[in-house]
Amino acid sequence: GGVDLRTVMCRLMERLKHVVENNPEAVPDSVDIFGMFRTHLQTILERPFSGEAGAPPAVLAPLLELQSEFLNFTLAMYDGHTEYVDAILESTVQLLTKALGDPDTGNKVDDDAAVNIVVTLLSTPIKSLGWEILDMQHFTTLIKFLTVATQKKVAIGMVDAVLESDNIIEDSDQLAKFLSFIQPVMKDVGGVSSEDLMNDKEFIREQQQVAKIVHIIQSDDTDVVYKCLETARKAFGDGGDARMAQTLIGVVSRAIELVPLIQAREVAVAAGEDVAPAQVSLKRVFGFIHKTLSDGLQTANPHACLRLWLPACHAG
């Protein structure tokens, strides 16, 4: 039956993976192992839907498990082939669409085993591929099949994985794309008051992790860093007071750190060194700090706001 064939495919992938790990030359480059497995797996994935409107929950988890095994196999066999990973996510989206309907309007994955496997499918590439996941068009579609609570879990998992890795943010476009990926943890969900969230220890921990994202922005160009901070402030500002109470602290801290760097750049330019003049002036940075403190943190977190006014004034 289908389950027997599924087991055979999983064992075959595991054995082949071990063979290649021990002898990388065992499989010639001319043999498209990924394509062969994908073709046969597609047959297994489509079988439960022949003549049925949707797959019963009992069938869904084993099929997703097969996708997870294929993903691990692909990451081990084809390092850096993001197009292969995205193809697996695409076929997973197709599987869930057949079983549950459109991800925006249909049912969500609610079977615990299936949910855990979808979370694994989404989190595994982050650890292996880093920022390359941002170019995978099927990642954001797959996450829509999860409930809001589970989407949050995946989003904070992405934040944790990025912070624990050596990844850095080099420009505002990269930052904006990443922040769009973690939207479930960036916006308030109806029904929970800002006051309740401010007293929720787990929520505070999550937002403190999100706030750390600005600290992995790295560029020798102060203009680039400033543009990233503008992008972060705009995104964090849409999250409500409970989130801004944590997230804007990092934005202001990084902006204060920019001041001596811009001063040094101005000195270098004045001394005739081969340095491009800063497009973002000190006046603009201080205006940014003032606005973020007075319009954002003063209401959301007055104690933190007061603590940051002193180093902000000292920087001037």
Side-chain angles (χ1 to χ4, degrees):
V3 175
D4 292 334
L5 189 53
R6 182 182 62 82
T7 305
V8 168
M9 293 294 282
C10 285
R11 286 177 180 167
L12 188 56
M13 282 189 281
E14 192 62 32
R15 287 181 64 182
L16 187 56
K17 189 168 73 173
H18 284 308
V19 168
V20 174
E21 283 172 352
N22 293 324
N23 180 14
E25 308 298 320
V27 179
D29 291 339
S30 58
V31 179
D32 182 10
I33 297 291
F34 177 82
M36 289 167 58
F37 270 104
R38 189 182 183 197
T39 301
H40 290 293
L41 290 175
Q42 198 61 36
T43 304
I44 298 173
L45 294 177
E46 290 173 0
R47 184 170 297 169
F49 301 98
S50 55
E52 298 179 23
V59 173
L60 203 50
L63 294 176
L64 288 167
E65 183 66 44
L66 186 57
Q67 289 290 83
S68 183
E69 290 287 345
F70 189 32
L71 177 64
N72 288 328
F73 170 79
T74 300
L75 288 170
M77 291 279 290
Y78 300 99
D79 184 36
H81 277 263
T82 54
E83 73 277 13
Y84 287 174
V85 175
D86 201 33
I88 295 172
L89 297 184
E90 179 184 18
S91 58
T92 307
V93 166
Q94 291 169 350
L95 167 67
L96 292 175
T97 301
K98 286 177 182 174
L100 302 170
D102 184 273
D104 290 313
T105 56
N107 297 318
K108 303 296 181 186
V109 179
D110 56 6
D111 171 65
D112 286 345
V115 166
N116 289 334
I117 299 166
V118 173
V119 170
T120 300
L121 281 163
L122 288 163
S123 57
T124 301
I126 301 164
K127 296 165 187 168
S128 305
L129 301 173
W131 293 129
E132 292 178 75
I133 62 158
L134 300 182
D135 296 319
M136 293 186 195
Q137 60 184 39
H138 297 100
F139 189 99
T140 47
T141 308
L142 183 55
I143 201 172
K144 290 178 183 176
F145 284 102
L146 300 171
T147 62
V148 171
T150 311
Q151 287 184 29
K152 260 187 70 175
K153 182 180 171 184
V154 172
I156 200 63
M158 287 180 71
V159 173
D160 290 340
V162 163
L163 293 176
E164 288 164 14
S165 70
D166 295 325
N167 289 304
I168 61 170
I169 292 169
E170 297 178 279
D171 59 61
S172 58
D173 289 341
Q174 191 180 48
L175 175 61
K177 197 179 280 190
F178 179 64
L179 294 178
S180 72
F181 266 58
I182 62 165
Q183 273 299 300
V185 85
M186 296 275 294
K187 292 252 180 109
D188 282 330
V189 179
V192 182
S193 74
S194 191
E195 190 175 340
D196 288 340
L197 289 173
M198 284 181 174
N199 295 317
D200 185 329
K201 288 182 180 177
E202 181 56 27
F203 172 83
I204 291 170
R205 187 203 77 82
E206 289 174 357
Q207 295 308 307
Q208 287 173 342
Q209 286 295 93
V210 173
K212 291 176 185 175
I213 292 169
V214 297
H215 294 292
I216 61 170
I217 298 168
Q218 288 186 29
S219 174
D220 294 332
D221 189 337
T222 54
D223 297 333
V224 170
V225 176
Y226 178 80
K227 192 171 181 184
C228 286
L229 294 180
E230 278 193 323
T231 299
R233 184 178 70 178
K234 185 177 186 306
F236 294 160
D238 293 336
D241 281 355
R243 283 178 172 76
M244 288 193 293
Q246 306 301 327
T247 54
L248 290 184
I249 295 172
V251 173
V252 174
S253 299
R254 279 307 306 267
I256 292 171
E257 289 171 12
L258 264 186
V259 172
L261 298 177
I262 295 174
Q263 287 172 331
R265 189 169 171 177
E266 289 178 348
V267 169
V269 170
E273 294 180 26
D274 186 20
V275 177
Q279 299 299 307
V280 176
S281 65
L282 285 171
K283 181 180 179 182
R284 189 168 166 190
V285 173
F286 281 119
F288 176 88
I289 293 169
H290 186 279
K291 182 176 174 61
T292 308
L293 286 171
S294 56
D295 292 356
L297 265 181
Q298 192 162 299
T299 303
N301 191 341
H303 294 294
C305 182
L306 192 59
R307 285 199 311 270
L308 286 164
W309 272 120
L310 186 60
C313 292
H314 182 70

